[in-house]
Amino acid sequence: MAPKSFLLACLLAFTLQFFFSPPVSSSASLLSTSKESSSMKDLIKLGEGCVSHPEDVSVVVRKGALYTATNDGWVKYFILHNETLVNWKHIDSQSLLGLTTTKEGDVVICDSKKGLFKVTEEGVKVLDPDVRFANDVIDASDGTLYFTVSSTKYTPADFYKDMAEGNPYGQLLKYDPKSNQTTVLQEGFYFANGVALSKDEDFVVVCESWKFRCRRYWLKGDRNGTLDTFAENLPGGPDNINLAPDGSFWIALIKVYMLHIVSKGLIVHMSLSGFQTTLLLGNGHSSSEELVRQNK
């Protein structure tokens, strides 16, 4: 890596770590007055004050329930018709991320530090204790699990270093419940995040947060085992993704806001979905649009 690039990466990593728990600032007012914020005023909040930092949700239609996992170790579900919250199972973990529900009604959860778990009425079973930074998982009709590893180099606590380095350490993996074996299907993702299976189960979509795009890995047909671009130039970093009933996909985006642009010794104040940082960049960028375009 060239000296200037290395210096920039170090500076970015330092500032992200320093500002990970930010004070209230001018970017907070931007968020509160933005169109995105005002458009959510009519949404119904479920479990407000009772659910600690949920990462993902999965609906079991026949149970009329919505499952989630929280950073205090609880797997919970909402009974949707009366909005009752049930504390179902507790796991000794503070690193639960994406989850999926199986056709049997069990829950499979990614633990970014401890591997892949299966939660049933009988308890918790570790499916694969060796994977690290597992982020999201989806269950196929035959019981096969497809899941992502965001970074094979960095830990969850050091995710900002992955972003600063800008190299593709993410993976798409497959867990076979018959053999209890995990295999790597594809490497080279820029922070592999959410994963979803198509309606016909002929491909999976993987979100690449740092590239503002989603990739498609084919599971069947002439393109089996190949990778192509499903969506790109998104207006934010794709995080979680879920299949909609009509075969399309719902994608959650990490929105980036930038303020305080100075054209020559560029200073950018950025808010990235819940944490803020100030980036001090060298010459060469003249606008926030140019910076975002080059980051993509």
Side-chain angles (χ1 to χ4, degrees), residues 1 4-14 160 164-165:
M1 182 182 292
K4 288 185 178 179
S5 300
F6 178 74
L7 179 61
L8 176 58
C10 291
L11 183 58
L12 176 59
F14 173 77
Y160 55 89
E165 183 173 331

Side-chain angles (χ1 to χ4, degrees), residues 180-221:
N180 295 321
Q181 295 294 315
T182 297
T183 55
V184 178
L185 296 179
Q186 185 72 45
E187 297 183 292
F189 293 98
Y190 290 85
F191 203 82
N193 211 320
V195 61
L197 189 63
S198 70
K199 195 171 185 178
D200 295 329
E201 300 193 0
D202 54 347
F203 63 85
V204 291
V205 178
V206 177
C207 294
E208 276 187 297
S209 295
W210 304 157
K211 279 289 187 178
F212 287 35
R213 71 183 177 189
C214 297
R215 308 296 296 282
R216 174 171 49 193
Y217 182 87
W218 289 93
L219 302 172
K220 300 176 182 179

Side-chain angles (χ1 to χ4, degrees), residues 148-285:
T148 54
V149 164
S150 291
S151 178
T152 56
K153 180 174 181 178
Y154 294 103
T155 66
D158 291 336
F159 78 94
Y160 55 89
K161 296 179 182 178
D162 186 274
M163 180 172 65
E165 183 173 331
N167 284 318
Y169 296 120
Q171 295 177 322
L172 171 65
L173 299 95
K174 171 185 173 181
Y175 175 82
D176 185 344
K178 296 177 182 177
S179 64
N180 295 321
Q181 295 294 315
T182 297
T183 55
V184 178
L185 296 179
Q186 185 72 45
E187 297 183 292
F189 293 98
Y190 290 85
F191 203 82
N193 211 320
V195 61
L197 189 63
S198 70
K199 195 171 185 178
D200 295 329
E201 300 193 0
D202 54 347
F203 63 85
V204 291
V205 178
V206 177
C207 294
E208 276 187 297
S209 295
W210 304 157
K211 279 289 187 178
F212 287 35
R213 71 183 177 189
C214 297
R215 308 296 296 282
R216 174 171 49 193
Y217 182 87
W218 289 93
L219 302 172
K220 300 176 182 179
D222 295 339
R223 289 176 285 185
N224 181 26
T226 65
L227 186 71
D228 61 18
T229 298
F230 182 74
E232 59 185 348
N233 298 320
L234 296 170
D239 192 329
N240 283 339
I241 181 171
N242 285 285
L243 178 68
D246 65 356
S248 60
F249 296 88
W250 287 98
I251 303 175
L253 299 178
I254 304 170
K255 193 67 175 179
V256 178
Y257 295 87
M258 296 184 184
L259 300 173
H260 309 319
I261 308 298
V262 178
S263 61
K264 292 207 171 173
L266 182 65
I267 300 175
V268 178
H269 186 78
M270 180 176 73
S271 171
L272 179 61
S273 181
F275 67 88
Q276 301 167 357
T277 185
T278 298
L279 308 183
L280 307 177
L281 305 179
N283 295 334
H285 301 294

Side-chain angles (χ1 to χ4, degrees), residues 15-25 27-28 31 269-278:
T15 52
L16 282 168
Q17 184 178 33
F18 185 79
F19 287 92
F20 188 75
S21 298
V24 176
S25 69
S27 65
L31 291 172
H269 186 78
M270 180 176 73
S271 171
L272 179 61
S273 181
F275 67 88
Q276 301 167 357
T277 185
T278 298

Side-chain angles (χ1 to χ4, degrees), residues 31-47:
L31 291 172
S32 64
T33 59
S34 68
K35 292 180 180 179
E36 288 82 0
S37 297
S38 61
S39 67
M40 296 192 294
K41 62 183 179 181
D42 296 325
L43 294 180
I44 298 172
K45 296 181 180 180
L46 297 176

